[in-house]
Amino acid sequence: MAETNFDAKSKSFLSWFQAWPGATFHSHIKIEDLREKGAGRGIVATADIPVDTVLFTIPRAAIINTETSDLPKRIPEIFATTGLDDVDNEADEDGDETSGPPDTWVSLILIMIYEYLQGDSSRWKPYFEVLPSEFETLMWWSDQELDELQASAIISKVGKEEADGMFRSKVLPVIDQHAAVFYPQGSSKLSEAQLMLLAHRMGSTIMAYAFDLENDDDEEEDPENEDEWMEDKEGKLMMGMVPMADILNADAEFNAHVNHGEESLTVTTLRPIQAGEEVLNYYGPLGNGELLRRYGYVTNRHARHDVVEISWALILSVLKDSLKLDEEKWGKAVNELDLEEIEDAFVIERDSGEPDSSGRIHGEATFKELPADLIEQLYTLLKEVRKVSPDTIPDKRKRDEISLSVVHRALQLRLTEYPTSLVHDFDLLSGNRVSGRQKMAIVVRWGEKVLLQEAIDFANEKIRNMNAKSDHDNGPSTKRQKTK
């Protein structure tokens, strides 16, 4: 029965979509049930499709946003532009609503809640029927499930408390003050707990599926905005829910692209797609941790983009132990740093390369360098150390030696922050002994450990090369004997 209902909703959604003026849906693709692969719905080719084929067209009128929903027209005072836009999605310090209109993030949450509460009266009802009601994104994980991520920095980026505060300060008051607008006549009001749950559901839907709605022409005029694949989730651009485009699943290697036009959005093939092959979009060069946080899944291909954060506090701790300065000299050196210029954490990452114009990736991602900003910040501190203790750092060679050894040791300590070993995690994954959220968490933490080990090996090799060069430079010289 559940399977029949799932397919029925897909068919109803497709019929609804095709009824929009200007909408197209290629005859050689279909919406397919991919739940056995953990992917929900997806779009699959039913016959071979050439490159540069338009797979479907979404008229802008079908997109849910501030221009198409009735809500901004019904409560214009809430959406009116005052020039006081708050783009950080955060409440004022006292928890009250900030002045000015809601940013695009809050606006879209309000609109999604409004359209959802209209039920059959909303012209997007069939679309809501295929949107998820349950999520695998980290926002919905229990503390015990999050613990499986171990020392991953992605845990600190979940932001549930911040989201709760934003909903209570910016979303719920609007609904409460305009209940007659949000609730259809004769319907019951939701409790605060129910509204919070609905707000989280719509927020997660937007996080996972919304697109920014800048035209391609507009993007080309901005040379600093070259990453046309990325979607805005920071409240700075108009966002919208794009029916059918969000049915597409995505991976680090992909075969289709969403093109933004003035009257519509089109999805076009980037290379030939064979019958039975899934049509895939691209969410950008995200590591599995970020992919899991935003979208609720992980993939093997996205592992090439994995990252690890290493804190400045850890670097300082290792450096202090290494230098063995007295507290007065150490404190004097550290206090000379400009706190506004100091980075709190640094990103360890590979050179993962860019996908080509057909969506393919080439070669292995390799670790090629330690974070330049970390090395620069270390050099800055060591320069101050030299001022208070010249003998500790007599020359640049000693500075480089200390910097490398400190980073190497900090990377080793960062790896030990994960309670389980690489071998243990690999055995769990390769032995197919885990599933669901636990498996995704292990994929994330294992990938980060692999990257850390690569960084450790890289730093160790740099140290060996430096020592070898030093031994060569300082070794006994052989003078050629004069012959008489």
Side-chain angles (χ1 to χ4, degrees), residues 378-427:
L378 257 177
Y379 283 178
T380 300
L381 177 53
L382 290 175
K383 183 178 180 180
E384 299 301 328
V385 169
R386 188 180 183 187
K387 291 178 182 178
V388 300
S389 180
D391 292 341
T392 302
I393 308 174
D395 50 36
K396 288 184 178 180
R397 174 180 290 179
K398 188 62 177 179
R399 178 201 65 179
D400 294 347
E401 178 186 311
I402 291 172
S403 298
L404 268 178
S405 63
V406 165
V407 173
H408 180 254
R409 181 56 182 156
L411 289 168
Q412 290 178 319
L413 291 175
R414 182 70 177 92
L415 183 57
T416 64
E417 292 176 359
Y418 295 81
T420 58
S421 68
L422 264 169
V423 173
H424 173 82
D425 290 351
F426 181 76
D427 287 344

Side-chain angles (χ1 to χ4, degrees), residues 252-263:
E253 192 165 69
F254 50 103
N255 51 27
H257 176 45
V258 181
N259 307 284
H260 296 238
E262 185 176 349
E263 300 295 331

Side-chain angles (χ1 to χ4, degrees), residues 134-154:
E134 298 179 351
F135 300 86
E136 295 300 325
T137 48
L138 297 180
M139 183 73 73
W140 300 87
W141 287 31
S142 67
D143 289 343
Q144 183 177 1
E145 289 168 332
L146 288 173
D147 285 344
E148 290 288 351
L149 289 162
Q150 296 183 349
S152 175
I154 202 65

Side-chain angles (χ1 to χ4, degrees), residues 6-303:
F6 188 91
D7 292 338
K9 288 180 178 180
S10 296
K11 291 177 182 178
S12 175
F13 166 70
L14 179 57
S15 298
W16 168 86
F17 174 79
Q18 291 176 310
W20 281 91
T24 66
F25 192 79
H26 201 282
S27 60
H28 290 166
I29 58 175
K30 67 175 181 177
I31 300 174
E32 189 160 299
D33 183 353
L34 300 176
R35 286 178 294 174
E36 288 187 359
K37 298 179 180 179
R41 291 177 176 84
I43 294 180
V44 176
T46 58
D48 292 349
I49 302 174
V51 65
D52 291 331
T53 299
V54 175
L55 298 176
F56 50 89
T57 305
I58 309 112
R60 285 187 175 263
I63 297 170
I64 303 179
N65 65 7
T66 54
E67 294 183 352
T68 57
S69 174
D70 293 335
L71 182 63
K73 302 178 184 69
R74 297 189 67 183
I75 49 173
E77 66 276 16
I78 296 298
F79 290 85
T81 300
T82 67
L84 297 175
D85 302 271
D86 171 34
V87 298
D88 61 5
N89 295 334
E90 294 179 0
D92 288 335
E93 290 181 3
D94 58 3
D96 294 333
E97 223 177 326
T98 53
S99 59
D103 57 47
T104 55
W105 177 263
V106 176
S107 296
L108 192 51
I109 290 176
L110 286 168
I111 287 170
M112 289 291 285
I113 291 175
Y114 167 78
E115 295 295 344
Y116 175 82
L117 291 175
Q118 302 315 297
D120 293 337
S121 299
S122 173
R123 56 185 176 274
W124 286 282
K125 170 69 172 178
Y127 176 44
F128 276 94
E129 289 293 309
V130 297
L131 288 175
S133 58
E134 298 179 351
F135 300 86
E136 295 300 325
T137 48
L138 297 180
M139 183 73 73
W140 300 87
W141 287 31
S142 67
D143 289 343
Q144 183 177 1
E145 289 168 332
L146 288 173
D147 285 344
E148 290 288 351
L149 289 162
Q150 296 183 349
S152 175
I154 202 65
I155 297 174
S156 66
K157 296 177 171 57
V158 175
K160 190 174 189 305
E161 291 183 2
E162 292 83 354
D164 285 347
M166 185 263 284
F167 295 151
R168 287 197 170 93
S169 66
K170 293 186 174 184
V171 175
L172 269 60
V174 175
I175 298 173
D176 183 58
Q177 294 164 14
H178 301 277
V181 173
F182 278 86
Y183 296 101
Q185 188 174 3
S187 64
S188 301
K189 293 184 180 179
L190 300 181
S191 66
E192 179 177 327
Q194 290 172 322
L195 271 178
M196 287 293 290
L197 184 62
L198 182 58
H200 271 292
R201 175 182 168 184
M202 294 308 161
S204 293
T205 299
I206 293 167
M207 173 67 80
Y209 296 106
F211 289 76
D212 81 73
L213 299 176
E214 290 288 305
N215 290 334
D216 280 348
D217 291 341
D218 295 336
E219 289 179 0
E220 290 173 3
E221 294 174 3
D222 182 4
E224 296 182 1
N225 186 24
E226 297 178 351
D227 193 356
E228 59 182 320
W229 306 106
M230 296 301 292
E231 300 150 19
D232 176 64
K233 300 292 190 293
E234 302 300 327
K236 297 178 183 177
L237 300 173
M238 178 184 290
M239 291 195 301
M241 297 297 298
V242 185
M244 197 60 73
D246 52 23
I247 297 291
L248 292 172
N249 292 311
D251 204 349
E253 192 165 69
F254 50 103
N255 51 27
H257 176 45
V258 181
N259 307 284
H260 296 238
E262 185 176 349
E263 300 295 331
S264 63
L265 277 67
T266 57
V267 173
T268 308
T269 58
L270 295 174
R271 62 174 185 266
I273 299 178
Q274 297 181 348
E277 187 179 352
E278 185 177 5
V279 180
L280 293 172
N281 194 12
Y282 182 50
Y283 290 158
L286 304 176
N288 274 322
E290 190 63 22
L291 196 69
L292 182 58
R293 183 185 74 86
R294 295 190 193 186
Y295 304 106
Y297 70 97
V298 297
T299 77
N300 291 335
R301 290 189 176 115
H302 271 279

Side-chain angles (χ1 to χ4, degrees), residues 436-480:
R437 291 178 176 179
Q438 183 185 20
K439 182 176 182 179
M440 290 192 291
I442 295 174
V443 167
V444 170
R445 76 192 196 205
W446 178 76
E448 292 178 359
K449 294 173 193 177
V450 170
L451 175 57
L452 274 171
Q453 189 59 58
E454 290 176 13
I456 290 168
D457 293 342
F458 177 87
N460 192 46
E461 182 65 21
K462 293 269 288 185
I463 291 171
R464 281 203 301 266
N465 291 341
M466 181 180 291
N467 290 339
K469 185 176 185 304
S470 178
D471 290 344
H472 179 270
D473 293 344
N474 296 329
S477 59
T478 304
K479 296 182 178 179
R480 186 170 54 188

